[in-house]
Amino acid sequence: MFTIFQMMQVVVPIVPASLTMMLAVMTFHPLVGVLTSCIGIIIGTMILFLLTRWYGKRFCLLFIKEATLKKYEDLISRHSSFTVIFIICMLLPFAPADLLVMLAALSDMPFKTFARIIICCKPISIIGHILLLFYGGEWVIHII
């Protein structure tokens, strides 16, 4: 059930992903929490890609402003290495993943390439995100 919730929160961002990932780790064993988060987020990310690919810019405009979308589309069109940038961003814990997924769907990136990148990079990002939230918070508390 939690995996389905994680999947849905990618497509319809009601609750911040940071909160749901932390909840998964605290509710279940850390390994099970990370696993359910990874599976749900990867499936949800693929659904978001396909929805954006099918519905195009109209779908993106439900979540972001037109000026923001235009800015990023121009950035993609100027750089031939969007795939490399996308891979690096998918590895980073706090990158704007949903926006980047929609941009990838609007680009000419094949779904197969996208899926490989997400399956390989997203678990690293999720684990990094969870570790930063748990241990980064403790670090900040010790400093204060």
Side-chain angles (χ1 to χ4, degrees), residues 2 18 20 36 45 48 54 57-58 60 68-70 81 90 94 98 104-105 116 118-119 123 139:
F2 195 83
S18 298
T20 59
T36 58
T45 301
L48 181 62
W54 288 329
K57 291 180 186 178
R58 291 181 316 207
C60 296
T68 305
L69 180 60
K70 177 76 173 131
S81 59
M90 287 299 109
F94 291 98
D98 296 343
R116 285 182 184 150
I118 292 302
I119 291 169
W139 181 71

Side-chain angles (χ1 to χ4, degrees), residues 6-105:
Q6 284 289 69
M7 179 182 71
M8 293 305 298
Q9 72 86 19
V10 173
V11 180
V12 183
I14 298 168
V15 180
S18 298
L19 184 63
T20 59
M21 285 188 273
M22 295 292 287
L23 184 62
V25 170
M26 291 187 298
T27 303
F28 310 112
H29 184 274
L31 182 61
V32 175
V34 168
L35 189 62
T36 58
S37 291
C38 284
I39 291 169
I41 290 172
I42 288 170
I43 293 170
T45 301
M46 290 182 185
I47 291 170
L48 181 62
F49 180 92
L50 292 172
L51 286 171
T52 305
R53 180 69 48 101
W54 288 329
Y55 295 111
K57 291 180 186 178
R58 291 181 316 207
F59 183 74
C60 296
L61 294 175
L62 295 172
F63 303 100
I64 56 176
K65 295 178 184 173
E66 191 168 0
T68 305
L69 180 60
K70 177 76 173 131
K71 181 176 78 172
Y72 285 109
E73 282 182 318
D74 291 343
L75 186 68
I76 289 171
S77 65
R78 281 184 269 143
H79 295 289
S80 60
S81 59
F82 174 68
T83 303
V84 174
I85 294 168
F86 184 72
I87 290 169
I88 292 168
C89 288
M90 287 299 109
L91 288 169
L92 298 174
F94 291 98
D98 296 343
L99 172 63
L100 290 163
V101 167
M102 289 187 274
L103 291 173

